[in-house]
Amino acid sequence: MFQLNKSEAVNTIAFYPNELTTGSAILLDFTQSYSNTVTGSIQATVISDPLTTPWIIAQFSGSLLPSASGQYDFKIFDYTPASGLVWNTTNTQWQLTNTAWNAGNPAVIGEQISAERAIISGSDLTPITEYVSPNENARYKVYLG
């Protein structure tokens, strides 16, 4: 289970995928466990090298997480972001552009590579506290303060 925090600038996750992926991005599709409500998708940047380690390590902004705290199920998909000229995202002037607007590539959602669970500390809950014993033989986390 991942521990994610909306107030963190960057959240980092690591997981072992069911299928090998060599892409530079993944898509996290979140569903709230309690109400089974789909809360959206987040694009994460893969920072590990899949050719040297079987684990995928990815990062994304905490501000993209849902604001409601709680447990979430999420599916992780291989993802290729859109490229080329995308309307309202390019800074070239129309008269100066010599590229066909349809020459870009659309975003592609690939195979599901994992299914995970996470607890999210949203904007409506105090942070998660971790307690470690003095001899470091035990540790526990308090999720609800």
Side-chain angles (χ1 to χ4, degrees):
M1 181 179 284
F2 296 128
Q3 176 181 324
L4 306 174
N5 196 325
K6 185 168 182 67
S7 62
E8 293 290 327
V10 175
N11 281 268
T12 303
I13 60 171
F15 64 95
Y16 192 85
N18 298 333
E19 298 200 18
L20 179 65
T21 179
T22 57
S24 62
I26 56 175
L27 191 70
L28 308 174
D29 190 15
F30 280 85
T31 302
Q32 190 174 39
S33 298
Y34 177 72
S35 64
N36 207 25
T37 304
V38 176
T39 58
S41 299
I42 296 174
Q43 178 183 335
T45 303
V46 175
I47 61 171
S48 59
D49 182 2
L51 301 176
T52 60
T53 179
W55 291 89
I56 293 180
I57 303 169
Q59 293 181 328
F60 55 91
S61 171
S63 64
L64 301 174
L65 289 168
S67 58
S69 297
Q71 293 186 10
Y72 288 80
D73 299 312
F74 60 95
K75 297 176 183 174
I76 303 175
F77 296 91
D78 195 12
Y79 183 68
T80 304
S83 65
L85 299 174
V86 178
W87 181 256
N88 204 25
T89 62
T90 185
N91 59 2
T92 58
Q93 293 181 352
W94 181 263
Q95 297 89 347
L96 302 177
T97 301
N98 293 324
T99 305
W101 284 94
N102 63 356
N105 295 317
V108 176
I109 300 174
E111 296 290 321
Q112 180 178 336
I113 58 174
S114 188
E116 304 289 339
R117 290 184 49 91
I119 185 157
I120 297 177
S121 290
S123 59
D124 61 346
L125 189 65
T126 57
I128 296 171
T129 305
E130 182 174 13
Y131 298 96
V132 180
S133 68
N135 61 8
E136 297 182 13
N137 289 331
R139 96 178 19 195
Y140 64 95
K141 295 181 181 181
V142 178
Y143 293 105
L144 298 174

